Amino acid sequence: EGDPKVAAQNVEARWVTVDGVGNLYLTDELTNVILKVSGEESRAGRGKPHVIYDGALHAEVNRPGGIATDNFHVFWSNKAIGTQVGSVVKGAEDGAQPGSPPQIDAIAKNANKVYGVCLSQNNVFYTNTQTFLYGVKKSGGAIATVSDKLLGPRGCAWDGDGTVFVADKTAKAIYSFAGNMHVLAPAQLTKAYEYDDAFGLAVIQAYSTAVAALVVCLLFA
C-alpha cells in the first residue's frame, strides 16, 4: 500500500526473503555475501543492507542463490561446489557475531549448484540445475528426492499451511505438492498454473477476521 520504497540499495540481489517482523534477507551472488536489512529500516525506505555472512570469511557462502527464513535461522543455497561447502546452509538470523564462532551448518551436500530454497514447518526443499527437487529436515540428516520429474526447477515457496509450490522454468509451469510430510519421500506433484519462464515464487497471505487469502506471485530472471 502507498508509494513504493527502496527496500535495499547498492546491492545486486539474487534472491530475497522476509521474516515475520519484516527483516529483509538477500543473497548477492556477485559479491558473495548474505545481507540483512532490518524491518525498521526497510519500512522507512532507508534500505541499507549489512553483511551477516561473508564468503571471504566463511567457506559456506559460495555464490549464494536462494534464501529462506523461519524467524530463527536463514537457509541459503550455493551455486558453486555445493558438495564441498554445502548445497544448503543454515545460519543464525543475526549472522556471525564478532568474537564468537559462526553458527553455520551445511545441512545438505548432495548437489553442486542449487537454485531455490523454501521451508515448510519442519522441512527444507531445494532445487538443483537439472530435474531434481530435494528435501531435508531443518536439522539436517537424510536427504530425500521429492521429485526427479521436473525439467528446469527454480524457485519454491510454502503457503504457510500444507502446500509447497515449485516453479519449473523449462516446463513453463508452477507445480504444487504436500510439503508438511513427517517422513521425507517422493511426492506427487500437481500442475497448479501455467506460466512462461516461471522462476522465483512468493506467497502473499492476506488475513481477514475469518479467512486467509493466498496468492502466488511470479517473478522472473
Side-chain angles (χ1 to χ4, degrees):
E1 296 180 359
D3 295 332
K5 296 181 175 66
V6 176
Q9 55 187 343
N10 300 323
V11 57
E12 186 173 312
R14 179 60 174 166
W15 233 287
V16 300
T17 189
V18 181
D19 69 11
V21 295
N23 296 317
L24 178 68
Y25 298 87
L26 313 93
T27 57
D28 189 327
E29 182 181 355
L30 183 64
T31 58
N32 209 35
V33 293
I34 310 297
L35 300 157
K36 176 181 179 179
V37 180
S38 73
E40 180 181 352
E41 289 185 344
S42 182
R43 287 187 291 272
R46 291 193 289 268
K48 185 177 181 181
H50 67 274
V51 175
I52 57 173
Y53 295 106
D54 189 338
L57 303 174
H58 310 296
E60 295 86 353
V61 182
N62 200 313
R63 295 183 61 202
I67 190 168
T69 178
D70 63 0
N71 300 319
F72 299 100
H73 298 92
V74 287
F75 300 77
W76 67 87
S77 69
N78 285 309
K79 296 178 67 182
I81 59 171
T83 54
Q84 298 177 42
V85 302
S87 307
V88 178
V89 181
K90 171 184 175 182
E93 266 203 351
D94 292 335
Q97 301 300 310
S100 301
Q103 300 179 41
I104 303 176
D105 182 21
I107 61 173
K109 288 186 174 182
N110 65 314
N112 267 323
K113 185 174 183 178
V114 173
Y115 279 97
V117 175
C118 60
L119 313 175
S120 64
Q121 187 171 4
N122 297 308
N123 302 324
V124 182
F125 299 100
Y126 56 102
T127 62
N128 78 344
T129 59
Q130 299 171 340
T131 64
F132 291 93
L133 169 68
Y134 297 109
V136 67
K137 291 296 182 181
K138 287 183 178 180
S139 56
I143 297 167
T145 298
V146 178
S147 177
D148 60 0
K149 302 294 192 295
L150 297 163
L151 300 181
R154 293 298 183 262
C156 61
W158 178 44
D159 71 352
D161 185 14
T163 302
V164 172
F165 298 92
V166 57
D168 191 324
K169 185 176 186 290
T170 303
K172 302 180 180 180
I174 310 294
Y175 294 93
S176 65
F177 66 96
N180 280 344
M181 56 187 81
H182 295 293
V183 178
L184 289 162
Q188 178 66 46
L189 271 60
T190 301
K191 183 184 287 188
Y193 306 96
E194 293 185 358
Y195 217 99
D196 288 350
D197 297 324
F199 201 101
L201 297 178
V203 177
I204 298 175
Q205 295 176 308
Y207 291 97
S208 69
T209 56
V211 298
L214 304 177
V215 180
V216 179
C217 297
L218 309 181
L219 309 175
F220 305 94

